[in-house]
Structures are given as C-alpha cells and as structure tokens.
Amino acid sequence: MQILLLETTIYGHYLEYIHHLHEGLGRYPECEMHLVLPPAFKEEREKYDWMDNARVTISYLSGEELKRVDAGGLLANSWHRAKLLRKYIQMLKPDAVFLISIMSYMPFLPLIVPAKVRVYGILYKLYMYRWKNLSLFRKAFEVIHYYYMTRAKSINGIFVLNDKSAACFLNRKYSSNKYTYLPDPFNKIAYEGKSLRSELGIGESDTVFLHFGAMTDRKGTLEILDAISLLSDDEKYNKVFIFAGVVSDSIKSQFYHKFKRAETDCRLFLFEGFCTNEKLVDLCVTTDFILCPYKLTDLSSGVLGYAATFNKQVIGPAGGLIGKLIRKYRLGITINEVTPANIAAAISKVKKSFTESNYVEHIRVDAFVDTIFGKLPSIL
C-alpha cells in the first residue's frame, strides 16, 4: 500500500508526527510512504534520529509551491493546498493520503481530490468547546462544515486528537464511523534529569513554578508576569519562577518590561531560546508546579505529558479539552478564566504534594502509530 504524506509546515508537532510515522512504518511491511515536504526538513530533521528505511521516499516542494500556498487568506490557503495535493496524487498515484491537519485543506478537499482516493487526517480544534461563544451563523457553519466533511466520499478516516468522548460524539451526531480517537503522542523520556536548584541557588524548601515552551499571548505568559506582581510580600516568600523557551516577537517588549518589574522583589529566572529535551527534563525535575494558563483550550498540549511524567501539578485553564484532561487525569489545578488575579490566587494557595497520574500510559507513541496505520489497511 502506497501512502502519501504531504505537508507544507515542518516545525513543532508536524516534524514530531512525521518522525513517529517514519519510525513506526517498520512494523507495517505492507506499507510504503512517500513524504512530500518543504526543503526546511533537510535541516529540521537533525533534531531527531531517523532509521534507514527503503520503503520511505522523500520529495521536496519548490519555493514557488510554498509561496502559492501561503498567499491570501484561509480560504485561499485551503484552495491552493487542495490543488497542490491533487497534483501530487496525480503524480504519485497513492492508495491512501494522510494529512497531519485535515482542516487546512477544507472545504475544498472533497471537491478537488478524486473520490476514489482514500484520505485520512488529524482533527485538532473542535467547535464543541467554543460553542457558547460562537454566533448563530458560526454555529451553523461549523455543523454544516463537519457534515460535509463526514459525508465526503474521499475522506475515509478522521483522527480526533486526544479526545475519546469527542470522537464518540461526532460519530453519533453525524451517524458515522469515520471519527477515531488518536492519542497525542508523548515520547518516553529515558534521561532521568537532575535538579538545578543547587546550581541556581534555590533552596529545597522553596516552591518553584515553571512556564516553558513558546511564550506567546495565547499561552498566558504576560498574565503570569502580572500575577507575580499581584502577590503580596508574604505570598512571594520562598517562591521562585522560571521561564524557559522562545519569547514571541509579538510580546517581547511587554515581556521584558513585565519581567524586569516582577523580578525587583521576587526571584525569577529566564532561559531564553530553544530548550533541548535534556534541559526541559532538568527544569521539570527542579520545579514543583508547571504554569500553563493557556487561552486556547480546545487543543491538546504536550506540557501535560511532561507534568504527568515527572509528577508535577499544573495550573491551567478549566475550560476546553485541556481543562477536561487536567481533571480527568488529576493533573493539577484549574482556573475558570485566565486572568492575573486568578493565576495569583492559584499560586498563593498551592501546597507541595506528590501527585501521580496514569496520563502518559494513554498517550504512548506506539499507540499513536498503531492507531493510524491500523486504520488504513482495515479499509483498503
């Protein structure tokens, strides 16, 4: 069986998922995979080790193809993506197509891709978690959009990322069996890590809070800094805050201003830039709590995997998929709204306590790979 995986983005979880599928292909001798990727993959692939596999071939998109895909708004993007996909389907004649983000090709995918081609893809953001905040028009649009996607003959399987109940709900609502739960893969960490407390001058009795990853407005980074400034002197006592990751250009000036203000009477550390896995593990070993007050809650997050692996409680949003996962797997504390006051209140009330969760058992990489490859042959 020939599988085509075309992707115009190669950063973050896109690269991670491609790596998982590339390595997992070895367990499926009946499958061959053709990857069509941007040239940036040649450099980005150095972040992982890749086994040699004669059943995987790689082609690279041209600069002109990538430029065309990125031109215009969302509808124009999806139109050009679907046309690009059709081009490579006609060229390579695959038995199946796998898309890391199927929504980026909608609504034009069923119109452009031949019905005889079997298409599978991952679904991330679900409208159900935003239902209360949607206008009547937007609600109707989302329902019709999903109905159209479900009924499309070319779309044979839709993988709902990290949300079992949503997959069941969508199958019931649209009288379908196309929706399948897909674990959000988390790599088993072999490196045990070491505490950085001694190196940073942090006492064992101090309470450490860690905020890591891409620091942007939607991650609640600025709200955390404002929350620190709201704490009383007693509440700041023996508390340490560590920020680690790349600060988004869109918030840099505000971030540095708020960081400088907060560190005048509280201990803050900043590890700016890309963090290696080893560095993240060391920071997770060092910290007591992980701060993830994300504003976009209808997506899964790899931060929860780190928290569960190292038995660290998170402080995160109560709403959406993230809030549901935090409660279901006992991963920490939730706040109803991401505001500096709510974050400060949660920080001031926390107590060090050992927490253990089985969350990582549900998001194994092999389960991710087997769910995808196991679905493809069952329909061919």
Side-chain angles (χ1 to χ4, degrees):
M1 178 177 62
Q2 297 277 349
I3 303 169
L4 167 64
L5 191 160
L6 183 148
E7 186 49 63
T8 60
T9 301
I10 201 61
Y11 305 104
H13 71 272
Y14 288 90
L15 178 64
E16 176 192 348
Y17 289 2
I18 292 169
H19 179 259
H20 292 328
L21 294 172
H22 179 280
E23 303 301 284
L25 187 69
R27 301 202 300 275
Y28 293 87
E30 72 277 16
C31 296
E32 297 180 4
M33 182 176 290
H34 196 114
L35 302 176
V36 180
L37 305 171
F41 176 71
K42 297 173 185 178
E43 294 183 4
E44 290 298 312
R45 67 179 299 162
E46 298 302 319
K47 294 178 179 178
Y48 293 96
D49 293 323
W50 303 76
M51 65 172 65
D52 292 331
N53 194 328
R55 291 185 287 111
V56 177
T57 56
I58 304 176
S59 299
Y60 292 102
L61 296 165
S62 68
E64 184 62 31
E65 287 173 325
L66 291 171
K67 182 179 179 181
R68 193 178 301 118
V69 165
D70 291 334
L74 290 176
L75 283 177
N77 287 168
S78 63
W79 169 254
H80 290 301
R81 284 176 190 273
K83 286 180 63 179
L84 183 65
L85 180 61
R86 181 179 63 180
K87 170 185 172 181
Y88 280 93
I89 288 173
Q90 293 172 342
M91 184 187 305
L92 300 170
K93 296 178 171 54
D95 300 303
V97 174
F98 182 79
L99 304 173
I100 291 180
S101 178
I102 194 168
M103 274 300 187
S104 62
Y105 293 83
M106 295 296 293
F108 301 108
L109 178 64
L111 295 174
I112 290 181
V113 173
K116 64 180 181 179
V117 177
R118 296 174 170 90
V119 178
Y120 305 81
I122 300 177
L123 185 62
Y124 299 90
K125 297 178 68 176
L126 301 172
Y127 69 84
M128 298 88 76
Y129 292 114
R130 295 173 281 121
W131 188 256
K132 292 182 179 179
N133 298 320
L134 296 178
S135 65
L136 185 60
F137 171 80
R138 188 67 188 185
K139 288 178 180 178
F141 173 82
E142 292 288 355
V143 171
I144 294 171
H145 197 170
Y146 273 66
Y147 179 85
Y148 174 56
M149 184 169 62
T150 307
R151 291 290 174 263
K153 291 183 178 180
S154 59
I155 299 177
N156 279 257
I158 304 168
F159 299 99
V160 181
L161 191 68
N162 223 23
D163 199 335
K164 285 184 179 180
S165 60
C168 294
F169 169 81
L170 290 169
N171 279 327
R172 287 196 308 270
K173 183 172 181 61
Y174 296 102
S175 302
S176 170
N177 63 354
K178 287 187 178 181
Y179 296 93
T180 302
Y181 162 71
L182 181 68
D184 186 6
F186 185 80
N187 275 314
K188 186 176 181 181
I189 299 174
Y191 174 58
E192 293 184 1
K194 64 179 185 296
S195 174
L196 302 177
R197 288 187 179 236
S198 177
E199 178 183 325
L200 298 176
I202 300 172
E204 291 302 318
S205 61
D206 293 335
T207 303
V208 180
F209 298 84
L210 170 65
H211 179 62
F212 71 89
M215 290 184 272
T216 65
D217 175 67
R218 65 185 181 88
K219 294 293 184 72
T221 302
L222 299 179
E223 281 78 4
I224 294 173
L225 289 170
D226 286 336
I228 296 171
S229 297
L230 292 178
L231 297 172
S232 67
D233 290 341
D234 288 341
E235 290 169 338
K236 290 177 183 175
Y237 179 71
N238 276 9
K239 288 185 175 65
V240 180
F241 296 86
I242 300 176
F243 293 79
V246 177
V247 181
S248 170
D249 289 338
S250 62
I251 67 165
K252 266 190 177 180
S253 60
Q254 291 176 281
F255 176 87
Y256 295 136
H257 172 74
K258 293 175 185 290
F259 188 93
K260 186 174 181 180
R261 181 186 64 186
E263 70 176 344
T264 57
D265 55 358
C266 189
R267 281 184 293 170
L268 273 68
F269 294 91
L270 173 61
F271 296 95
E272 189 173 357
F274 175 77
C275 289
T276 64
N277 287 333
E278 289 75 15
K279 186 68 171 182
L280 287 181
V281 169
D282 289 345
L283 291 171
C284 287
V285 171
T286 303
T287 196
D288 296 297
F289 298 90
I290 296 176
L291 298 171
C292 55
Y294 299 161
K295 298 176 184 179
L296 293 181
T297 62
D298 49 356
L299 297 167
S300 184
S301 173
V303 168
L304 302 183
Y306 279 96
T309 298
F310 296 98
N311 297 313
K312 307 296 181 177
Q313 293 188 70
V314 304
I315 296 177
L321 175 58
I322 294 179
K324 182 164 73 172
L325 292 172
I326 292 173
R327 291 189 298 275
K328 180 177 180 179
Y329 293 103
R330 298 180 292 111
L331 295 171
I333 303 163
T334 60
I335 54 177
N336 289 326
E337 185 181 359
V338 177
T339 66
N342 285 344
I343 297 171
I347 289 172
S348 65
K349 295 175 183 176
V350 296
K351 294 181 180 179
K352 290 185 182 182
S353 61
F354 176 78
T355 179
E356 188 170 355
S357 170
N358 66 347
Y359 177 60
V360 290
E361 294 300 315
H362 295 269
I363 55 171
R364 303 188 317 274
V365 171
D366 59 348
F368 170 85
V369 171
D370 291 342
T371 298
I372 293 172
F373 282 117
K375 181 78 173 176
L376 303 185
S378 69
I379 297 179
L380 292 175

